[in-house]
Amino acid sequence: MIQVKQQISDVRRTLGSRQLEAGEAKVATISQVYDTGIDDLWDAVTSAERIPRWFLPISGDLREGGTYQLHGNAGGTITRCERPRGFAATWEYNGEVSWIEVRLTPEGDERTRFELEHVAHVSAELWEQYGPAATGIGWDSALFGLANHFTDPATAIRPEDGAAWMATPDGKEFMRLSADAWMELAIADGDEPERARASADRTYAAYTGA
């Protein structure tokens, strides 16, 4: 089984901002290197048959110009597709539209980096309440799922058991460490430390019911 602290450490995260026509947007990136070739990783992150094995059930027309829907989560339009290097899409959830871009980069023999960039307009009130961990824990969980997908099947967590695992001590530690990692980035980006900590605590509580 994947070790929680090692998984958090293996992930690279950044946080910043970008000026768009509609105003300033938050930009979060998250990446991890996996022990597989770029073609296999591309298949894992774009195939309607494989995506549910590490993330969520998905439906739609998974091609450039097509639409997708992650069951119980976001949907959107695939705006760019460059096999096997990456794709871009809108991320539409709860009446809000943001944007994601996935980039795949070979890193040595049969090793490939998966990087996801998420650009979103976030109100000052929402940022004050939850900070970057609101979506950051979700993206950390996705990369954990992908790492689990490529690990030994004998020790991997089955997708159908993922929600139950999140309620275990290991799952809660994972979300706590993820929330803290995103909190540190918020502080480095200029957020006041006490407020950033309070936001991370609220997000952790929202995810765990603590």
Side-chain angles (χ1 to χ4, degrees):
M1 183 180 292
I2 297 170
Q3 298 300 307
V4 166
K5 290 181 179 178
Q6 187 61 51
Q7 172 62 24
I8 292 293
S9 176
D10 286 345
V11 170
R12 180 187 298 170
R13 305 167 189 82
T14 68
L15 183 66
S17 60
R18 183 177 302 165
Q19 194 66 34
L20 304 180
E21 287 186 10
E24 185 176 84
K26 297 291 185 181
V27 182
T29 63
I30 186 167
S31 73
Q32 185 171 3
V33 176
Y34 298 101
D35 292 329
T36 192
I38 191 170
D39 290 320
D40 184 49
L41 186 54
W42 170 265
D43 187 67
V45 302
T46 61
S47 164
E49 189 274 328
R50 287 183 72 180
I51 291 171
R53 295 194 220 167
W54 61 270
F55 194 29
L56 292 167
I58 190 170
S59 58
D61 186 10
L62 305 187
R63 60 178 178 83
E64 186 169 329
T67 60
Y68 72 94
Q69 180 62 54
L70 291 160
H71 297 188
N73 204 290
T77 299
I78 301 165
T79 56
R80 180 173 55 79
C81 184
E82 298 178 2
R83 180 189 182 104
R85 295 288 180 170
F87 63 87
T90 61
W91 185 263
E92 303 174 27
Y93 182 71
N94 199 27
E96 301 289 338
V97 179
S98 55
W99 303 268
I100 61 169
E101 181 176 349
V102 168
R103 296 181 284 266
L104 306 184
T105 308
E107 294 211 357
D109 187 31
E110 290 299 293
R111 284 170 60 80
T112 310
R113 179 174 296 278
F114 170 96
E115 181 178 54
L116 182 141
E117 177 185 85
H118 187 191
V119 180
H121 293 291
V122 183
S123 69
E125 293 78 14
L126 188 62
W127 189 262
E128 175 79 15
Q129 187 170 9
Y130 294 116
T135 54
I137 291 177
W139 291 128
D140 261 311
S141 299
L143 268 63
F144 178 93
L146 196 51
N148 184 67
H149 180 66
F150 288 115
T151 198
D152 183 354
T155 61
I157 301 168
R158 298 182 304 172
E160 58 268 31
D161 296 331
W165 181 83
M166 284 295 188
T168 67
D170 279 349
K172 291 180 178 180
E173 180 185 23
F174 174 81
M175 288 185 280
R176 179 72 266 177
L177 292 173
S178 171
D180 289 348
W182 288 103
M183 175 198 70
E184 293 294 340
L185 289 175
I187 293 170
D189 196 46
D191 285 9
E192 196 276 325
E194 288 188 9
R195 291 185 175 181
R197 164 60 68 181
S199 297
D201 288 347
R202 283 189 288 270
T203 301
Y204 172 75
Y207 271 90
T208 62

